[in-house]
Amino acid sequence: MDLGQIGTAMVTPFSNAGNVEYDLTEKLVEHLISTGTDSLIVCGTTGESPTLNHDEKFTVFSNVIEIVNKRIPVIAGTGTFNTAESVKLTSRAAELGADGVMLVTPYYNRPDQKGMVAHFSHIASETGLPILLYNIPGRSAVNMLPETVIELSKIKNIRAVKEASGSLDQMAKIISGTDSSFKVYSGDDALTLPLLSIGGEGVISVASHIVGLEMKQMISAFKAGDTEKAANLHRKLLALFQAIFSAPNPVPIKYALSVIGIDTGGVRMPLTDFGEGKSLFDEVWQNYKNA
């Protein structure tokens, strides 16, 4: 599973009636592929997975897989707090042609580290698909420790982790303790460059919906040894990264997409419209464009 350096955690486009919208999905996918996205992660947090029922998730999986047509990897978000249910979703994603799956740390029931190892190990044993682990303590209320990731990395089809703990110390421990074939991705856009500097692979990004090419330039500059250029691009992007997370994700990024002419519809309740945050984002966006 080669996710490249920028995997986009894709929003789920909805029609005015609130249904998953194929035509809008196609336009979004083509936009992302043309602006630096190396892989697509669908039905994750940014894809509003908590509000999608199983049939809708399968629709998104099949739609995106069909549109992409093997041009880049498509990773299906199939992780839940229910191990058996996660196995079923993963099996269906495989049938539909997904290139891999993303499995989030179980939320709400808050397993300990032993429970996480049991959960992910069992799912891995039931599928041949490559697995991207997803550690996001701010949403799941549990933190998958580096030692747990290191243990899980020894399982053949567990190939990478999306680290959204915000801790570079934690990421460094994972990098030090895993084989070079195991990849560590930042789950926070603002930590992309810092993670690269300690040996990480790249980012599972939200901001790449609107600044994918600029992020690719930053990563390419760093890889080429031009750290000054990479740092300048990071600083230029930083305020925008912050604005994109100034309200619950994906509220700001769906609005941001509308600003650049990509319609992805609204968000589902309990999320609500961006409201007063729109003017702040507009100001940050104009400052970024004029910089």
Side-chain angles (χ1 to χ4, degrees):
M1 176 173 62
D2 183 4
L3 303 180
Q5 294 169 333
I6 298 179
T8 297
M10 198 183 87
V11 303
T12 300
F14 297 130
S15 67
N16 291 335
N19 300 316
V20 175
E21 175 59 55
Y22 181 89
D23 287 343
L24 295 182
T25 300
E26 184 174 18
K27 292 174 183 177
L28 175 62
V29 168
E30 295 300 339
H31 161 73
L32 293 173
I33 291 176
S34 69
T35 54
T37 290
D38 297 315
S39 56
L40 289 171
I41 292 80
V42 294
C43 296
T45 303
T46 310
E48 298 180 71
S49 59
T51 71
L52 298 172
N53 63 41
H54 287 358
D55 286 342
E56 288 175 323
K57 288 181 180 180
F58 299 151
T59 295
V60 175
F61 296 164
S62 60
N63 284 355
V64 175
I65 289 165
E66 178 185 28
I67 294 163
V68 169
N69 193 25
K70 297 296 182 182
R71 287 177 288 171
I72 60 174
V74 177
I75 310 303
T78 60
T80 72
F81 54 33
N82 182 325
T83 306
E85 199 68 19
S86 300
V87 169
K88 291 178 182 177
L89 288 168
T90 299
S91 176
R92 184 62 179 140
E95 292 172 357
L96 292 170
D99 297 293
V101 293
M102 182 177 72
L103 303 177
V104 68
T105 43
Y107 42 92
Y108 193 75
N109 45 17
R110 301 180 62 196
D112 59 14
Q113 302 301 307
K114 178 182 176 182
M116 284 187 240
V117 170
H119 173 78
F120 292 122
S121 299
H122 180 72
I123 300 169
S125 72
E126 295 291 322
T127 182
L129 286 178
I131 292 170
L132 167 69
L133 301 175
Y134 180 18
N135 185 38
I136 182 163
R139 288 183 180 268
S140 65
V142 288
N143 180 33
M144 184 161 51
L145 297 177
E147 295 77 12
T148 301
V149 178
I150 292 167
E151 181 177 351
L152 288 166
S153 74
K154 297 172 184 176
I155 298 172
K156 183 177 180 180
N157 56 333
I158 297 181
R159 303 315 316 139
V161 63
K162 175 185 177 182
E163 250 295 334
S165 65
S167 170
L168 284 171
D169 289 348
Q170 181 154 306
M171 298 177 207
K173 288 179 182 178
I174 295 170
I175 294 167
S176 295
T178 54
D179 185 88
S180 60
S181 64
F182 185 84
K183 306 302 182 183
V184 179
Y185 288 87
S186 174
D188 300 289
D189 286 299
L191 290 182
T192 304
L193 186 58
L195 177 60
L196 290 174
S197 74
I198 60 170
E201 185 69 14
V203 62
I204 306 300
S205 175
V206 176
S208 56
H209 282 89
I210 60 170
V211 286
L213 289 174
E214 293 85 346
M215 294 181 71
K216 182 63 70 71
Q217 290 171 5
M218 178 183 72
I219 293 171
S220 297
F222 178 84
K223 295 286 187 179
D226 192 345
T227 56
E228 182 177 358
K229 179 179 179 180
N232 286 337
L233 286 166
H234 168 81
R235 290 193 294 270
K236 180 181 178 182
L237 288 163
L238 188 56
L240 190 60
F241 291 158
Q242 293 168 342
I244 287 169
F245 288 95
S246 61
N249 184 38
V251 174
I253 197 62
K254 279 198 162 183
Y255 172 72
L257 282 163
S258 73
V259 170
I260 65 168
I262 306 294
D263 181 16
T264 57
V267 292
R268 286 181 169 176
M269 289 190 291
L271 299 181
T272 57
D273 181 71
F274 202 14
E276 295 178 1
K278 292 178 180 178
S279 58
L280 173 61
F281 178 84
D282 289 342
E283 180 180 351
V284 172
W285 179 245
Q286 285 305 314
N287 288 339
Y288 170 78
K289 297 297 286 185
N290 294 332

